Amino acid sequence: MSLGQLFLEIGGVILALAFVGRAAGRLGITPIPLYLLAGIALGAVMRLGDAPGEFIHVGAEIGAVLLLFTLGLEYTSQELRDNLRANRQVGLLDLALNFTPGALAGLLLDLPPLAAVLLGGVTYLTSSGIASKVLSDLGRLGNRETPVVLAVCVLEDVAMAVYLPVVAALLIGGTLAAVGVNLLVALAAFGLAFFLALRYGHVLSRLVNVRSDEALLLSVLGLVLVVAGVADHLKVSAAIGAFLVGIALSGEVADRARELIRPLRDLFAAVFFVFFGLQLDLGSVPGVLLPAVGLAVVTALTKFATGWWGAARTGVQTRGRYRAGTTLIPRGEFSILIAGLGLDLEPTLGPLAAVYVLLTAILGPLLARFDGQLAPLLDRRLREARAG
Amino acid sequence: MVKLEETPLPGVGVRHDFDGRFGKRVGVITHRDGRREIFVSRRDDPDATAQSIVLSDEEAEAMADLLGGSTITRHMNTLTQDIEGLAMDWVPVAEGTPFAGHPLGDTKMRTRTGTSIVAIMRDGHAIPAPGPEFGLEAGDTVVVVGTPGGVVRAARLLSGED
């Protein structure tokens, strides 16, 4: 294939995304579900050649790595520690209420046990990207329920950091003994890296923090990819390595890196969603539609309950509880990431997760936006139910 | 004093807020990138934000000035920045000081320490440029200007250690 043809096809895909992103901005919703739809549509109408396909595949992997790296950058180790201490009850309730439906559904659908574990992860993780966008778009950062919403997102991200290496080790498979060894290696490597990141992160931060923006961008990107590569060789997920680098960097260097990496992350994350959509076989969608809708309804309710209870615990009134509940409903980037891990294991995970994410990512922000109309209705219902 | 509540917002910044006397919750969110967001709550739903305004660093400073918070301290800061080696301190006149009830002149501050008393703070008011006949009282705070060493000596003198 000629270079010209390659550029034409990739440029076409990116332009399509730009169009979709603008439409999302106009409608005031997050572009994530639209990127997925664009990927599905492109996959249906366009036959990408090998070279663009390869480019988009690698781009999607980089997107996953950068997503987790910037996620790690978001949190200082102090914030993680404080949150673990203060909000573990909500965190545990969240895990119990939202992991279980996915795992149960996986077993009911006769998926392999490991695929059921992955599906539990898909339904567990709120999209912190969508949630924080809803909070800032609707001007709700000052709301009383907002700290609870953010805390739940942080705790999920921590849980994810443990969950991913375990799943990655399990996915390698083999005999029971081999799985056990892999699991131990993964957990030990992760634990050691986490300890080092918390303990000596400031040293790394100082070493990386050079004055020139260009040199900083290159150092950070290089470091992230090298650590991701090493992690992948050690059979710990590449994305987890990147997450740890993000945790380790703190202070000024974290602020600067966040600014510098953001455009790259946005580009590759968009490619990541498109790639997922592209891979999707439209023919398999009708088969998963019913379970996906059922799962979306059930887990929207359980997430809602999590937010409701968490907000109630901090003394927030019913309307705030409603907002906390609905803001937590959307699933997004990390659900897709988890489903992507298990595609070889169980092909239906892909379409199931895609439809599920589409439904929750649209339903959640819609319900959150109309809190003024819907919350009083719910409030009245609840009061009537209590009265008799 | 209003009772300020501080809440960390992971991934965003810190929020300070208080329940205003006239019924609304008022607060400031300090974003990690330095932007300040002022918000007020709704009257019918104090958990929710009714209105919020995002301010840049400079705008936030201007707003603080308009509200009258930091004018005095900022003038002081400019002063010490302008003259190198000049120190300024607020020295409390504690109970048991030998100068309580005496006129300011009795301290012979200028001769003994090389520092000048530029103002007295009493009951939350500032009395600028007090004369030597001005009567000191325990509980006053004396604003002293001079070399760093001189300011330390002035504090010792006022506490009666010298």
Side-chain angles (χ1 to χ4, degrees), chain A residues 73-76 79 83 139-147 150-151 154 255 258 315-320 323, chain B residues 5 7-13 15 17 19 25 29 31-33 37 39 42 44-50 52:
Chain A
L73 267 189
E74 277 299 322
Y75 307 118
T76 61
E79 276 180 347
N83 246 296
R140 290 189 179 164
L141 287 173
N143 285 18
R144 274 223 183 96
E145 76 278 1
T146 294
L150 292 173
V154 174
D255 292 338
R258 203 173 11 242
V316 170
Q317 294 310 302
T318 43
R319 288 185 55 184
R323 287 189 296 266
Chain B
E5 211 170 298
T7 319
L9 299 177
V12 178
R15 183 178 82 198
D17 59 352
D19 286 318
R25 197 164 54 93
I29 299 163
H31 289 254
R32 278 221 296 249
D33 57 10
E37 188 173 337
F39 67 89
R42 297 166 57 123
D44 58 335
D45 180 6
D47 297 330
T49 308
S52 75

Side-chain angles (χ1 to χ4, degrees), chain A residues 133-149:
Chain A
K133 191 162 162 45
V134 166
L135 288 175
S136 66
D137 281 358
L138 299 184
R140 290 189 179 164
L141 287 173
N143 285 18
R144 274 223 183 96
E145 76 278 1
T146 294
V148 176
V149 174

Side-chain angles (χ1 to χ4, degrees), chain A residues 277-345:
Chain A
L278 274 175
Q279 281 181 317
L280 199 70
D281 173 19
L282 269 186
S284 60
V285 169
V288 298
L289 202 55
L290 206 62
V293 170
L295 209 51
V297 170
V298 170
T299 59
L301 287 173
T302 53
K303 264 294 175 200
F304 184 83
T306 308
W308 180 282
W309 187 75
R313 221 170 57 108
T314 56
V316 170
Q317 294 310 302
T318 43
R319 288 185 55 184
R321 294 177 201 173
Y322 172 89
R323 287 189 296 266
T326 48
T327 311
L328 285 173
I329 290 175
R331 316 300 205 276
E333 55 277 24
F334 300 117
S335 299
I336 297 283
L337 212 140
I338 292 174
L341 287 177
L343 285 185
D344 294 337
L345 189 74

Side-chain angles (χ1 to χ4, degrees), chain B residues 34-141:
Chain B
R35 279 178 306 146
R36 247 55 64 85
E37 188 173 337
I38 305 181
F39 67 89
V40 290
S41 71
R42 297 166 57 123
R43 199 177 285 278
D44 58 335
D45 180 6
D47 297 330
T49 308
Q51 183 66 262
S52 75
I53 309 157
V54 178
L55 298 176
S56 73
D57 249 356
E58 286 176 350
E59 289 164 350
E61 206 169 307
M63 184 53 81
D65 269 0
L66 284 177
L67 294 174
S70 59
T71 325
I72 298 172
T73 21
R74 238 161 44 82
H75 281 316
M76 301 281 192
N77 284 342
T78 344
L79 186 70
T80 44
Q81 267 164 19
D82 285 347
I83 308 166
E84 217 176 311
L86 185 73
M88 167 178 284
D89 210 345
W90 279 250
V91 181
V93 182
E95 298 285 343
T97 171
F99 300 109
H102 287 266
L104 206 52
D106 282 7
T107 59
K108 300 210 173 56
M109 183 72 84
R110 188 62 181 273
T111 331
R112 292 203 216 166
T113 66
T115 60
S116 304
I117 293 175
V118 294
I120 308 274
M121 312 288 279
R122 177 176 293 171
D123 302 325
H125 297 287
I127 301 147
E133 72 292 341
F134 186 87
L136 270 181
E137 281 175 24
D140 287 350
T141 300

